[in-house]
Amino acid sequence: MLTLWSSAGLVYARAVVAGTNAVFELIETAPETHIVLRSLNQHRVERGGLSIAAETTFAKMAIDTVIPFLPLAVAIPRLTWRNRLILLLVGLGILYLIQVGLLVVHSRYALAAAYLNPALDSSRHLLSFRYSPASVRFYEKIVSPFWAGVGYYWTGPVVGLGLGAWLLSRQQRAKRDGER
């Protein structure tokens, strides 16, 4: 599985960055935040003249969310192939949306931290956007501890098992209704 991921990882990372850029186009007015992927482990966040090199967590997110999800999706017993395909497509879609959301939050945090940096005091008035200290605190106090302590380890299995259990119960209910 890891061999397959190493070849598909960069393509997946580009898809997550493209989704993140689309979200920024929807939620921000000019100037928009734009993310440029440099490698699997680094990206650049740009907004209105402020540019920051940031470290990505694509490899970590993939190993800890997508990789545990795939065997769970295949290993659930008595699930029909149609429901297994639904599980794979919907589950991967949910994990993709979670990763896009995390990259949006992480990018906004990186820009807010750079914007509020005291070294930028003399030129902050030249930027056409604002960030508050609440943006930094939200990431540091809520998102980062939760994701580091819980999210990395449980997102893939919870999505896989939850969606698999729902599809299996739906399948068994349809089978019971068909027997009547």
Side-chain angles (χ1 to χ4, degrees), residues 2 5 9 12 57-69 99 152:
L2 290 176
W5 178 253
Y12 185 77
T57 56
F58 289 127
K60 182 77 171 145
M61 287 190 318
I63 290 169
D64 291 337
T65 59
V66 175
I67 299 300
F69 166 78
Q99 291 173 353
Y152 275 144

Side-chain angles (χ1 to χ4, degrees), residues 169 171-180:
S169 71
Q171 174 181 307
Q172 289 174 345
R173 190 176 27 232
K175 185 179 175 184
R176 275 189 308 233
D177 290 344
E179 291 174 355
R180 289 182 190 175

Side-chain angles (χ1 to χ4, degrees), residues 128-146:
S128 56
F129 56 89
R130 294 160 106 30
Y131 286 106
S132 71
S135 300
V136 175
R137 280 195 304 273
F138 173 71
Y139 184 84
E140 289 176 347
K141 302 287 185 197
I142 296 172
V143 175
S144 182
F146 175 77

Side-chain angles (χ1 to χ4, degrees), residues 61-162:
M61 287 190 318
I63 290 169
D64 291 337
T65 59
V66 175
I67 299 300
F69 166 78
L70 293 174
L72 279 172
V74 175
I76 295 176
R78 291 180 273 168
L79 199 59
T80 64
W81 286 106
R82 179 178 175 264
N83 282 341
R84 201 172 303 275
L85 182 62
I86 291 170
L87 172 64
L88 282 170
L89 293 175
V90 172
L92 287 174
I94 290 169
L95 292 175
Y96 174 79
L97 291 175
I98 289 169
Q99 291 173 353
V100 166
L102 284 170
L103 189 56
V104 166
V105 170
H106 177 71
S107 300
R108 289 186 61 86
Y109 162 73
L111 282 171
Y115 178 83
L116 296 170
N117 186 347
L120 201 62
D121 283 346
S122 62
S123 59
R124 190 174 297 124
H125 67 283
L126 299 173
L127 298 173
S128 56
F129 56 89
R130 294 160 106 30
Y131 286 106
S132 71
S135 300
V136 175
R137 280 195 304 273
F138 173 71
Y139 184 84
E140 289 176 347
K141 302 287 185 197
I142 296 172
V143 175
S144 182
F146 175 77
W147 187 248
V150 177
Y152 275 144
Y153 307 108
W154 296 106
T155 303
V158 166
V159 169
L161 289 174

Side-chain angles (χ1 to χ4, degrees), residues 43-61:
H43 66 275
R44 179 165 285 291
V45 182
E46 302 167 346
R47 183 170 190 205
L50 186 60
S51 182
I52 307 150
E55 195 173 302
T56 64
T57 56
F58 289 127
K60 182 77 171 145
M61 287 190 318

